[in-house]
Amino acid sequence: MMHAQRIWSVTAIKSVEELARKLTESTWTLCTAFEHHGYLFLNDATSEDGAQEYSVVKRLGRGTFLQVESITFGWCTFERALDHIRSVTDGRDHTNDFATRVAPRLEPADRHGRCPHCA
């Protein structure tokens, strides 16, 4: 997670297919995040014009998070994104060398309003 001061607007996504579509078929503002089954996909790109890089963070408990992966979905096909998402949410991508405790700043999408990253 490169942007510790960024505030992400989180939207819950129910299906892996919907999440893969969102991550591969659209370019999102820098404050966009999606949550699927306890995993947060935080837009960690440096600009909207750059590669859509996402930090993947596992919610461990209230206010406790572990970054388990970083994936450039902007370079993925829909099928490859599905594989990545399933691998992460099944726990196959969690490596002790990469996993790091992080403290992302999060807001529900309906309370986010406007910020410098989406204005």
Side-chain angles (χ1 to χ4, degrees):
M1 194 175 86
M2 294 187 296
H3 304 283
Q5 297 305 309
R6 187 174 286 176
I7 298 173
W8 285 277
S9 171
V10 182
T11 300
I13 303 295
K14 293 186 189 271
S15 77
V16 175
E17 294 80 11
E18 180 185 3
L19 181 58
R21 274 194 226 331
K22 288 187 177 298
L23 294 172
T24 59
E25 296 177 4
S26 298
T27 300
W28 297 95
T29 59
L30 300 176
C31 55
T32 300
F34 301 104
E35 184 166 12
H36 176 71
H37 290 295
Y39 288 86
L40 297 159
F41 294 77
L42 309 173
N43 188 338
D44 213 18
T46 55
S47 79
E48 288 87 350
D49 296 335
Q52 290 290 293
E53 179 80 21
Y54 283 79
S55 292
V56 183
V57 176
K58 182 178 182 181
R59 188 185 296 269
L60 299 176
R62 186 167 185 188
T64 306
F65 301 89
L66 188 68
Q67 182 175 351
V68 297
E69 188 59 87
S70 181
I71 303 168
T72 307
F73 283 103
W75 298 341
C76 291
T77 62
F78 172 78
E79 291 78 16
R80 187 70 182 129
L82 278 175
D83 289 343
H84 280 308
I85 295 165
R86 287 181 177 139
S87 181
V88 167
T89 58
D90 290 348
R92 291 179 280 162
D93 270 359
H94 301 195
T95 62
N96 291 332
D97 294 339
F98 185 79
T100 306
R101 285 192 183 265
V102 293
R105 298 170 61 193
L106 309 171
E107 291 180 339
D110 62 350
R111 289 196 287 157
H112 181 65
R114 294 179 72 138
C115 74
H117 299 297
C118 64

